[in-house]
Amino acid sequence: MSGDSMAPALHDGDRVLVKRLPCRHVRNGDVVVVESPTTVVQGELAEPHWSTSPPPGPPDPPGTRNWIIKRVSATAGDEMPSCDPGLAEKPAVPPGHLFVLGDNPAASFDSRHFGPLPGSRMLGVVVRKLHL
């Protein structure tokens, strides 16, 4: 774990045990390891962009994937948590996607910035923090 985005649950330097699971088995409140997109700015919109192959496919060159730990806030079909409160109809998380947030919003790069995350970009669910 690197950074303070999941404080107070996890802190910089913590290590976790992760179980690989398909996206359909993930529930709201689960802590997951997901690939962080880079954002490609086109005009005023930031578009998420992931590495070439979803995990656990063929390996990408070292350093091309950035793994982050976040808490699942909404799964497919759920209302997106961080949408405009003035909207009459709130958008839903698309099928096969997750909406993830850090426990410490001020220090977190999450779905508020890059939108719903494709489930194919999830490595697994955090089982527990390791005490080494």
Side-chain angles (χ1 to χ4, degrees), residues 29-68:
D30 285 349
V31 176
V32 294
V33 176
V34 295
E35 182 182 355
S36 176
T38 56
T39 52
V40 178
V41 178
Q42 297 175 335
E44 292 183 16
L45 294 175
E47 295 287 329
H49 173 76
W50 283 270
S51 62
T52 55
S53 60
D60 288 323
T64 58
R65 284 200 174 130
N66 183 29
W67 298 102
I68 57 177

Side-chain angles (χ1 to χ4, degrees), residues 74-86:
T75 58
D78 293 343
E79 182 181 295
M80 282 195 228
S82 296
C83 60
D84 182 353

Side-chain angles (χ1 to χ4, degrees), residues 5 13 18 25 27 31 34 50 52 56 80 92 102-103 106 117-118 131:
S5 71
V18 178
H25 293 296
R27 302 290 175 247
V31 176
V34 295
W50 283 270
T52 55
M80 282 195 228
D103 287 356
L117 184 87
H131 300 282

